[in-house]
Amino acid sequence: MIRVRFAPSPTGYLHVGGLRTALYNYLLARRHGGQFLLRVEDTDQSRLVPDAVQNILDNLRWANIFPDEGAGCVPEGAHGPYVQSQRLPIYRKYADQLLESGHAYRCFATAEELAEMRQNHGGYDRRYRDYDGMEAQKRADAGEAHVIRMKVPLGEIVDFEDLVRGHVRFDSAQVDDQVILKSDGFPTYHLAAVVDDHEMEITHVIRGEEWLTSTPKHLLLYRFFGWTPPRFAHLSLVVNISGKKLSKRDGDVSVNEYREQGYLPAGLLNFLALLGWSNGDNREVWSLEDMEKVFALERVHPSPAVFDFDKLRHINQQHLFAMGEEEIADLLPEWFTKAGLPVPERTFLVRVVGLMKQRCALLPDFVGGARYFYTDPESYDEATAKKRWKPESAELVEEFATQLEALPQWQAAELEAALRRLCEDKGQGAAAFIHPVRLGVSGVGGGPGLFEMLEVLGREVCVRRLRKAAEVLK
Ligand code: GLU
C-alpha cells in the first residue's frame, strides 16, 4: 500500500513548486490506489505566517487535490489534523530514546559560542559530543538551556537509491551533528519528519531537491531507531529560462497569483506536471484524471525544470478550448463582478463564450477581452479608425443601420447577405463596410466573425451603436 505525504511548512503562501510536489505525491497515490496525507510542518515557530495554513488548504482545494488523511481532508478532521506543533510529546519521547541509546547528546553551547564556532570552524565543532552524560543530565535537571543533537558516525558512506536521481552518496564527515530537539522543546524538521513519516507509515517521500542534503541525516535517524526508511524521490529545481532558481523577480510564484489571473486549476496542474514529468510520448494536454492513470516516478527527470510562462498560457488555452461553453460560462460570474460589470443573462453569455472561446487563454479574457459584448464602446481604437474609417464611412454605416432595422430575419447569414446587397447598390467592395461596421459596433479592429458577433449582439444594440459611430466618427 503506497502512502505519501505533502508536508508544507506554513512559512508562506503555497508556491507553484510546492503545488508540483503536492501533485506528484497525489498522482502516485492515485495511480496505485494508495493514500495521500497532508501534514503541516510548523515546528519553526519563528517563521510562521499567520494565514499560510489556510492559504495552502484553500489552494489545494482549488486545485482539486484532496488529501485522504491529515489536514484539510474531507470529512474535515476525519484522520486527525497532522499538525506537528500538536504532537510535541511524541518527538520528545523519541529524542529521549536516542539520548538513552547513545545516538544523541545534549549540547549546552550558547548562541555566542555557536557564532564563534561558525566563524572559526565554519560550523558546530561537536564539542559536547563526548561530554559526560551524568554531568549533562545534572545541568539539564537544573534547568540549563540546551538542545539535543544527533551523533553522526564519522568516516562512513551514507547512500541510497533515489527514485529520480539514481544512486546518491554522502560522506558522513560532511554531515553535521544536527540539532533534533531545540531548547524550546520543539523538534527540528529532521526529527519531526522522520518520526512522522515512520508513524504515518509513509512509503515514498517525494520532495524538492533542496532537501536532498537532509536525506543522509534522515537515513541515520532511521538506522538509530531501527526503522526501515521509505523510498526517496527528490524533484528537480524549478528554474527560469536562464536556468536560475525561479524567484519572485521572474514573475508570479504563488498559486494565488495564478488564480487571480484566471488560470484554470486543470491548466496550471497540467503545466506543473510537465515540469519534470512526461509520459514518454509527446502528449502535452492532460487532465488530472488522465495523469492519475499513468503517472510513474520512473518518468520524472532529474534535470532542472524550466518554468516557461508562454507554455503555461498555451496549455491553459488548450484546457479552455476543450471545455464546453456552458461549463466556461459557469465560471465567469465572479470575473464580471471583479471587473465591476453586471453578470449578463445566461443564454447570451453562453453564445458570447462560443464566439470567444478560440481567442481566450484565461478566464477574464471572456470579460475584458470581450467588453463590447456587454457595454457600448466609449471610444474607438485610434489606429483602426485612422486606417479604416474613410470620409464616406459614416454614410455607409448609417445606410447599413437602416437596412438592419428593416431586416426580417436576425441571423448571421441574413446580415451578411444584406451587407453584400448594399455593396452592390453602392458599387463598393465589402471592405468598405466590414471594417467600419466592426469598429462602430465594437470600438476595436479585431474580434470574432463580424456577422456572428452582430447576431449575438442583437438588432437594437447594433443599430444604436452604428448610428452613434456614424455621428461621432464623421
Ligand atoms: N516541511 C518541508 C517543506 O516545507 C518538507 C520537506 C519534506 O517533504 O520532507 O518543504
Side-chain angles (χ1 to χ4, degrees), residues 358-400:
Q358 267 181 307
R359 327 181 73 85
C360 294
L362 305 175
L363 289 171
D365 295 348
F366 288 98
V367 181
R371 220 183 157 87
Y372 46 83
F373 278 106
Y374 320 116
T375 54
D376 287 6
E378 277 161 15
S379 61
Y380 302 90
D381 179 64
E382 264 182 48
T384 311
K386 202 161 162 215
K387 188 158 166 220
R388 304 290 193 191
W389 195 271
K390 304 280 182 283
E392 67 279 10
S393 294
E395 196 193 313
L396 297 179
V397 161
E398 180 67 51
E399 286 258 2
F400 186 51

Side-chain angles (χ1 to χ4, degrees), residues 290-402:
D290 285 352
M291 291 191 285
E292 287 173 19
K293 290 184 195 132
V294 299
F295 182 80
L297 280 175
E298 297 77 57
R299 293 210 174 272
V300 173
H301 327 288
S303 42
V306 182
F307 198 98
D308 177 343
F309 291 90
D310 293 336
K311 185 167 179 192
L312 168 59
R313 209 182 145 79
H314 167 74
I315 287 183
N316 199 72
Q317 183 161 25
Q318 305 294 310
H319 279 266
L320 266 182
F321 195 64
M323 278 170 79
E325 286 146 25
E326 302 266 352
E327 212 186 332
I328 296 176
D330 286 343
L331 302 175
L332 295 178
E334 65 169 296
W335 296 96
F336 282 96
T337 311
K338 273 186 206 162
L341 292 170
V343 181
E345 184 269 320
R346 172 83 185 181
T347 340
F348 172 74
L349 180 57
V350 170
R351 296 183 76 194
V352 174
V353 170
L355 286 188
M356 293 303 290
K357 221 167 95 165
Q358 267 181 307
R359 327 181 73 85
C360 294
L362 305 175
L363 289 171
D365 295 348
F366 288 98
V367 181
R371 220 183 157 87
Y372 46 83
F373 278 106
Y374 320 116
T375 54
D376 287 6
E378 277 161 15
S379 61
Y380 302 90
D381 179 64
E382 264 182 48
T384 311
K386 202 161 162 215
K387 188 158 166 220
R388 304 290 193 191
W389 195 271
K390 304 280 182 283
E392 67 279 10
S393 294
E395 196 193 313
L396 297 179
V397 161
E398 180 67 51
E399 286 258 2
F400 186 51
T402 306

Side-chain angles (χ1 to χ4, degrees), residues 5 7-9 41 189 205 207 211:
R5 85 298 195 275
S9 294
E41 299 204 322
Y189 153 68
V205 167
R207 61 187 171 200
W211 303 102

